[in-house]
Amino acid sequence: MNESEFSELVSSLTPHESADTVNTYRNTVSIACPACDRPFDDLVVCEGEYDSLELSKVLDLCVTTVDDDVLLFTHQD
């Protein structure tokens, strides 16, 4: 995914949480995941060199990168 595609994607999502170098966006319009083509629930953007996530539920994850950021697409089903 390039920077332009990333910017377009994020502009279509709803900001949800932000903590230090981790930002979460909700997919309220059922955009397809770029990795598996199924709608994803949330996009988690990890911008730090090292980031830690505390997950409260079991999720399927699809992963890609843009520049040095890691993008996690979550799927609850």
Side-chain angles (χ1 to χ4, degrees), residues 2-77:
N2 65 38
E3 186 67 37
S4 175
E5 293 168 327
F6 172 70
S7 294
E8 184 177 333
L9 173 65
V10 169
S11 71
S12 300
L13 301 175
T14 303
H16 179 63
E17 293 181 355
S18 182
D20 297 321
T21 58
V22 177
N23 298 299
T24 305
Y25 303 88
R26 289 268 161 98
N27 184 5
T28 57
V29 292
S30 297
I31 296 171
C33 174
C36 70
D37 291 325
R38 294 183 299 141
F40 61 94
D41 296 301
D42 296 303
L43 169 62
V44 180
V45 180
C46 301
E47 299 173 346
E49 183 176 359
Y50 298 100
D51 287 315
S52 178
L53 303 174
E54 294 181 24
L55 303 177
S56 59
K57 53 188 149 187
V58 176
L59 301 170
D60 291 334
L61 297 174
C62 292
V63 180
T64 190
T65 61
V66 62
D67 293 330
D68 291 331
D69 299 342
V70 174
L71 309 181
L72 305 172
F73 295 88
T74 69
H75 300 277
Q76 293 184 29
D77 297 327

